[in-house]
Amino acid sequence: MNRNRLWQITLFLMMAFFTFSSLAGDYKIRKIEGAKEAFAADILQLILSKVDPAARLVPDTESMSEARLTDAVIDGQVDIIWAGTSQALEKQLLTVRIPILKGLLGHRIFIIRKADKERFKNVTELKDLFDFKAGQGTFWGDTAVLKNANIPTTTTIKYPNLFPMLEGGRFDYFPRAVHEPWVEVESRPELDLIVEEHVLLIYPYAMYFFVNPSNQILHDKLYRGFEISISDGSFDALFFANSMIKEALSKADLAKRNIIRIDNPYMHKDTPTNRSEFWLDVSKL
């Protein structure tokens, strides 16, 4: 058998596999760990219910890094993952380009040292942040966004190191998505850290669902279900009723903060920024 014929048969079998898995009603997803993952799974179940009422999510039993999850989707071991988007990820997988958390990942409030509380009251525009250093993970997608805006940024490879580094004065604030900082501060009572109360840094950033690049059927099913959920109001109902989101929005009091907006030139050119119904509108909270 020549190589071209072998490749044709392999491609046919792959397409058949993904078509079957897209119609079978069972979808393998990443392991559910924590409130954010549980909420993403709830959203996924909602949008599937609009187009595949018999759909059943089957969480993996093993924790995997984003790199391993990507490989698992490519290999057909996992059907759907969710992750903060990046250029690399969107090149490898097929992106369902509707933000799962309404762009909340790009709404950042700060963890700071308690002693610096008064200093941040004077931060009202971007130039004011140039007097402070942010702390970030070395390879995080939004680290490049801060550096592009000329915001002084100190990085480290290991996420847990950021908290003692902040307390020790290596940098001045740790920007976190709105739903993240309180748990992080409360779980480290030995550190003299608090959640800053006056500043909100906003830039376009999205968490998406991703599927195998050959599985256009599943991609279209998820996109269609998401559109239906947004149109009929069920997505917003689920989003704003979620306890993690409700608590975060209540504590953050976003409408009363000084909003600083910066660009994100690393988002894909097809990012649906023109679809206002996809994104959180702070002015309407």
Side-chain angles (χ1 to χ4, degrees):
M1 183 180 296
N2 63 48
R3 294 178 64 181
N4 286 339
R5 180 58 176 164
L6 182 60
W7 169 245
Q8 290 173 350
I9 292 173
T10 301
L11 183 61
F12 172 80
L13 291 174
M14 288 177 63
M15 292 297 294
F17 169 79
F18 288 122
T19 299
F20 174 77
S21 64
S22 298
L23 299 174
D26 283 2
Y27 300 95
K28 190 76 173 291
I29 62 173
R30 63 182 297 171
K31 184 178 182 180
I32 304 300
E33 299 175 282
K36 185 172 70 176
E37 281 73 25
F39 184 37
D42 287 344
I43 294 171
L44 181 57
Q45 187 69 68
L46 171 70
I47 66 177
L48 279 170
S49 73
K50 304 296 181 177
V51 291
D52 185 2
R56 188 173 69 97
L57 302 181
V58 183
D60 204 329
T61 57
E62 180 184 1
S63 297
M64 290 188 275
S65 66
E66 183 175 299
R68 286 188 63 202
L69 280 168
T70 301
D71 289 341
V73 175
I74 292 172
D75 294 341
Q77 299 170 8
V78 173
D79 295 307
I80 307 163
I81 63 169
W82 50 88
T85 191
S86 68
Q87 292 179 344
L89 193 57
E90 294 197 36
K91 286 180 180 177
Q92 292 177 282
L93 302 178
L94 197 55
T95 310
V96 182
R97 213 176 298 283
I98 300 178
I100 296 172
L101 297 180
K102 297 174 87 58
L104 199 62
L105 284 180
H107 292 65
R108 298 277 163 160
I109 55 182
F110 306 155
I111 297 176
I112 63 172
R113 293 181 291 274
K114 188 175 183 179
D116 286 343
K117 182 177 180 179
E118 294 301 314
R119 290 180 66 201
F120 279 86
K121 285 184 177 180
N122 298 319
V123 176
T124 59
E125 53 186 315
L126 178 59
K127 68 179 181 63
D128 297 327
L129 284 180
F130 297 160
D131 296 328
F132 300 84
K133 286 185 179 179
Q136 288 282 116
T138 303
F139 302 111
W140 295 356
D142 50 344
T143 299
V145 176
L146 299 188
K147 290 183 175 181
N148 180 74
N150 296 315
I151 293 174
T153 306
T154 298
T155 64
T156 183
I157 292 176
K158 296 183 178 180
Y159 157 79
N161 291 349
L162 286 158
F163 300 94
M165 287 173 65
L166 172 57
E167 188 194 42
R170 296 280 299 280
F171 53 86
D172 303 299
Y173 64 101
F174 185 11
R176 306 302 289 142
V178 167
H179 57 285
E180 295 174 327
W182 284 276
V183 172
E184 293 174 325
V185 169
E186 290 166 4
S187 65
R188 295 167 176 83
E190 74 281 6
L191 302 180
D192 201 21
L193 304 176
I194 61 172
V195 180
E196 201 280 326
E197 299 176 348
H198 301 283
V199 183
L200 173 62
L201 180 66
I202 299 179
Y203 47 85
Y205 194 57
M207 175 179 284
Y208 293 133
F209 290 122
F210 296 90
V211 302
N212 186 282
S214 299
N215 202 345
Q216 189 70 46
I217 291 175
L218 179 55
H219 168 276
D220 294 349
K221 179 182 290 186
L222 294 177
Y223 194 93
R224 187 168 67 253
F226 219 147
E227 285 272 26
I228 294 170
S229 300
I230 291 171
S231 295
D232 68 15
S234 56
F235 172 67
D236 271 4
L238 178 66
F239 183 86
F240 289 109
N242 178 265
S243 58
M244 178 186 70
I245 299 299
K246 287 175 67 175
E247 182 178 11
L249 294 180
S250 174
K251 287 181 175 180
D253 202 5
L254 300 183
K256 293 183 179 180
R257 289 175 174 262
N258 298 320
I259 297 175
I260 300 172
R261 296 183 184 272
I262 60 176
D263 293 329
N264 182 356
Y266 306 104
M267 292 292 282
H268 194 279
K269 63 180 178 61
D270 293 330
T271 301
T273 53
N274 61 319
R275 298 287 300 274
S276 59
E277 67 272 30
F278 289 176
W279 306 90
L280 185 69
D281 186 344
V282 175
S283 68
K284 294 181 179 179
L285 294 177

